[in-house]
Amino acid sequence: MEYHELWVREITKKASAITDTFRKKKNELSNVEINWITPDKDIRVDRVAAVDGGMGIYEAYGTAIYLVRATAVILDKKVNFIRKLEMGVVEPYNYVNERVRWARDALEFKCAIDAMKKSNIILLDGSISGYLNVPKMESFCSELEEYFKWLIKMLELAKKRKIFLIGVSKDTKTDFLLKNSDRYIEGMTDATAIDILIGDSIGMTPSMKVESVQAKKVLKEDYLKEFSLVYSSYMRLSKGARIIRVDMPEWIHDKDEDLFAILREISSNGYPAPLHIAHNDATIPKELMDKTFRLLRNLCITNDPEIMKMMKEKRRRFF
């Protein structure tokens, strides 16, 4: 029997069982209530900044060479960019992905700080509570030290200036709404529950406190304790669009309906357009990483011809 015949037969056989599984999950939500509101506010946004980053890794003989860059796009009467780029080597060779990600995020925090000079609305690609909940390592590395240094500086400056610091997660897998209900369903995300119960209507959930417990213990000095409280809201910015999670720090948590109006004003197809622009600008294409490695290899070989033997084999990763 051909594989496509096996494939069709297996799908046909399992479709009913899978349907029953989905139906059971839906029925379990029957007693769950979600407070879904649609604020009637219009806020004109004259200037907004959005920050995102990209990273690329080359691995050669136990060494990881990385390139990270970050972009802050500032939308005013015209589009302006703040760009940063750094290159480094992960040594010793452990926690490679995490360490390069921390290097990238630290660069994003630097861009956000610079953008605060030009805008009091800063959008970050990702969850603020996620930034605070970095797992504790057995020992600090230089990348993690830089990460916390610039994270703290960004948060301190944003709090001092009452900046609207907004974290946006488009693929949220969190379930704190369901966990706080009487009908918690294992494996069900809040976004899925909202889709099932609310449908495709525009709106938001009132902000809810989400304490970043890890932020209280990740550093002996407890630098992040004052920022450990984050508030989150689920929002749908246009009809039928995906649910996004929006994080906000404590000093603006009572402005959640204003944030909804702001994000609706600057969104396209249910997602903030400035973040989309920042993502496209910061992503590191394969061609750039290839050129980077070739140039670096040539310079290293000039310094030491034996280096060529170590830099022939490589494995690429791009994010």
Side-chain angles (χ1 to χ4, degrees):
M1 184 177 290
E2 298 292 335
Y3 268 119
H4 75 274
E5 295 176 301
L6 293 170
W7 175 70
V8 171
R9 189 173 70 176
E10 190 68 9
I11 290 176
T12 304
K13 183 172 65 175
K14 297 295 175 60
S16 295
I18 292 172
T19 301
D20 289 341
T21 300
F22 288 146
R23 188 180 291 118
K24 179 182 177 182
K25 291 284 187 182
K26 182 178 179 180
N27 291 338
E28 289 176 341
L29 286 170
S30 59
N31 294 326
V32 174
E33 293 185 4
I34 291 178
N35 186 7
W36 189 251
I37 60 175
T38 305
D40 185 20
K41 282 190 175 185
D42 290 311
I43 295 179
R44 179 176 175 81
V45 180
D46 295 321
R47 182 178 297 175
V48 63
V51 181
D52 200 359
M55 62 190 240
I57 304 172
Y58 260 115
E59 296 177 340
Y61 282 87
T63 300
I65 302 163
Y66 68 82
L67 186 68
V68 293
R69 67 182 186 185
T71 295
V73 57
I74 301 164
L75 296 185
D76 195 346
K77 294 179 180 178
K78 59 180 182 178
V79 180
N80 294 299
F81 292 91
I82 298 171
R83 296 184 174 103
K84 297 184 185 294
L85 183 146
E86 290 181 2
M87 186 175 184
V89 176
V90 174
E91 184 67 35
Y93 186 82
N94 54 16
Y95 297 100
V96 173
N97 281 344
E98 292 85 353
R99 292 170 67 180
V100 177
R101 193 175 298 115
W102 292 330
R104 178 201 63 193
D105 290 348
L107 215 56
E108 292 181 29
F109 302 152
K110 293 177 186 179
C111 277
I113 290 170
D114 288 349
M116 288 178 197
K117 301 172 185 176
K118 302 179 181 295
S119 175
N120 69 338
I121 302 173
I122 307 292
L123 307 183
L124 302 175
D125 180 40
S127 163
I128 295 178
S129 62
Y131 287 136
L132 294 168
N133 279 321
V134 172
K136 187 174 182 179
M137 293 179 63
E138 294 179 1
S139 61
F140 263 25
C141 58
S142 60
E143 294 85 8
L144 190 54
E145 289 176 351
E146 282 292 294
Y147 175 93
F148 280 120
K149 171 184 173 182
W150 291 103
L151 173 61
I152 292 165
K153 285 188 175 184
M154 178 186 71
L155 292 172
E156 287 179 340
L157 183 60
K159 184 176 182 179
K160 179 180 179 181
R161 297 186 180 180
K162 298 291 188 263
I163 296 289
F164 276 51
L165 191 66
I166 310 168
V168 179
S169 304
K170 60 179 177 292
D171 295 310
T172 176
K173 299 292 189 294
T174 48
D175 56 3
F176 56 83
L177 275 183
L178 289 173
K179 281 184 175 177
N180 281 279
S181 73
D182 295 329
R183 298 284 296 177
Y184 174 63
I185 303 168
E186 188 72 31
M188 178 78 72
T189 67
D190 290 338
T192 299
I194 293 171
D195 279 334
I196 293 172
L197 297 173
I198 304 299
D200 62 357
S201 63
I202 298 169
M204 60 172 283
T205 61
S207 63
M208 177 180 290
K209 186 186 300 184
V210 183
E211 188 170 15
S212 299
V213 178
Q214 186 69 19
K216 291 186 174 181
K217 61 184 181 181
V218 72
L219 290 174
K220 292 180 181 179
E221 294 83 355
D222 221 9
Y223 291 135
L224 296 175
K225 185 175 181 179
E226 65 175 301
F227 303 114
S228 63
L229 291 182
V230 175
Y231 290 75
S232 292
S233 168
Y234 294 106
M235 300 182 183
R236 180 181 282 121
L237 303 176
S238 63
K239 187 175 177 62
R242 73 169 71 185
I243 297 292
I244 61 173
R245 171 179 165 173
V246 176
D247 281 7
M248 60 208 81
E250 189 175 15
W251 59 86
I252 58 167
H253 80 274
D254 58 342
K255 305 291 185 182
D256 53 351
E257 294 188 14
D258 290 347
L259 297 188
F260 176 78
I262 289 169
L263 292 176
R264 285 206 69 196
E265 172 74 14
I266 61 174
S267 291
S268 174
N269 297 320
Y271 188 73
L275 276 175
H276 185 69
I277 296 171
H279 173 79
N280 288 342
D281 189 73
T283 299
I284 296 179
K286 173 183 177 299
E287 295 77 14
L288 177 60
M289 204 61 196
D290 285 339
K291 290 178 181 178
T292 300
F293 187 83
R294 286 198 299 269
L295 177 59
L296 179 65
R297 181 180 59 188
N298 291 339
L299 291 173
C300 289
I301 290 171
T302 299
N303 294 332
D304 185 347
E306 290 297 312
I307 294 294
M308 183 175 183
K309 297 177 182 178
M310 297 182 64
M311 300 186 74
K312 280 185 177 180
E313 293 191 15
K314 53 192 179 296
R315 184 158 64 96
R316 300 186 297 262
R317 283 180 277 168
F318 305 95
F319 304 87

